[in-house]
Amino acid sequence: NQGAPYQPLVSPADEEVTYALTKRGGTEDITLEMIANDDVRSISKIPSKLCLAAALTLHRFAWGLMTGSANIFDATALFTSGHANLAGTGATLSQSKLTAARSAMRKQLAYGDSNNILSIVPRTLIVPTSLEEVAFQITKSAVALPSSGNASDIPNLHTGMNMLVLDHITDDGTSATSWFVVADPCRVPTIEMGFYQGKDVPELFTQADNNVGSMFDNDKITYKIRHIYSGAVLDFRGFYKVPIS
């Protein structure tokens, strides 16, 4: 009212995301005899294979936050009807189904405010190997792809959308034909990864001193690989899943 002080607004409650770092790694021993008998130099490839294994472990962990079934910060699964980010079954990937997923994500509401429609636009289409070709067509074609498969002169709304194929997606318990859309992390928080002391690449150590350790005791060279990290889903509003079965 005229001349009256402004009143305090209603502040929303907190949504808190927490996670604890986890140490991953192991050791591999190589004896002097193994080195002497290695005719094809396989042993020299062990360090690079250890690093590759660490990279694959990180890759699966990060994407497992999306494809897995663990509960997120609100004690429910990432994809639920309550989050308005899970389609019904039977929605094979197509132009119209991707449009429906886009529409659903755009209608997501801000936390604690049903009047604030976020207008989030999907940035990346994520598919298993079996859907690679159709995903490529939908995201790269300049014109829409009608269900009949015939040519179209209608501009394609999804042109320029990123596409990513996750070949291991069925290993995480996800249907081989389920697919996902994810928003731009710059537009809405999605997943956070935290690395111990900021080391986002694994550390590889070698114990090869002849005077100490396993080399002194057993004539063994020991490799140790170590990677410490964890992560969590920050907001379900930037994800949408379409299961087929």
Side-chain angles (χ1 to χ4, degrees):
N1 295 326
Q2 181 176 351
Y6 285 93
Q7 299 301 306
L9 301 173
V10 178
S11 299
D14 290 334
E15 277 189 327
E16 183 180 24
V17 178
T18 61
Y19 60 88
L21 295 178
T22 302
K23 185 188 300 182
R24 296 167 174 82
T27 62
E28 179 66 32
D29 294 331
I30 304 170
T31 65
L32 293 183
E33 291 82 359
M34 291 169 63
I35 296 174
N37 294 324
D38 183 17
D39 296 331
V40 294
R41 301 184 62 82
S42 295
I43 289 177
S44 64
K45 301 176 183 178
I46 289 178
S48 61
K49 288 183 177 292
L50 289 173
C51 294
L52 176 60
L56 289 173
T57 301
L58 172 60
H59 173 82
R60 293 200 174 205
F61 172 82
W63 285 113
L65 295 173
M66 182 189 75
T67 62
S69 56
N71 289 345
I72 60 172
F73 55 86
D74 61 356
T76 60
L78 171 58
F79 298 104
T80 66
S81 58
H83 289 163
N85 65 355
L86 179 64
T89 58
T92 303
L93 178 59
S94 65
Q95 182 91 24
S96 60
K97 297 303 181 182
L98 183 55
T99 298
R102 176 188 174 97
S103 176
M105 183 175 286
R106 290 188 65 96
K107 295 176 182 178
Q108 284 285 6
L109 304 176
Y111 174 59
D113 187 356
S114 60
N115 293 317
N116 186 0
I117 300 176
L118 297 177
S119 302
I120 303 169
V121 177
R123 178 61 179 162
T124 304
L125 172 62
I126 301 173
V127 298
T129 310
S130 59
L131 296 178
E132 179 178 11
E133 183 175 7
V134 65
F136 180 85
Q137 293 172 350
I138 292 175
T139 57
K140 305 303 180 186
S141 175
V143 295
L145 302 179
S147 58
S148 62
N150 297 323
S152 169
D153 58 0
I154 301 173
N156 180 14
L157 177 65
H158 311 294
T159 299
M161 190 176 185
N162 295 333
M163 186 201 76
L164 180 65
V165 180
L166 293 184
D167 296 305
H168 72 280
I169 206 167
T170 55
D171 294 340
D172 292 331
T174 303
S175 169
T177 47
S178 292
W179 50 276
F180 308 82
V181 290
V182 181
D184 187 343
C186 295
R187 178 69 177 82
V188 59
T190 53
I191 289 175
E192 176 178 301
M193 292 294 301
F195 297 89
Y196 179 63
Q197 296 183 339
K199 297 176 180 177
D200 57 356
V201 295
E203 298 173 281
L204 183 65
F205 304 91
T206 304
Q207 169 63 64
D209 192 328
N210 286 315
N211 298 315
V212 296
S214 60
M215 193 63 179
F216 179 82
D217 294 333
N218 309 101
D219 286 334
K220 289 181 179 179
I221 297 175
T222 300
Y223 292 110
K224 182 180 80 171
I225 192 157
R226 181 178 68 194
H227 209 186
I228 306 174
Y229 57 86
S230 191
V233 173
L234 298 182
D235 197 330
F236 59 81
R237 297 165 184 85
F239 298 90
Y240 195 85
K241 177 182 178 180
V242 183
I244 300 301
S245 57

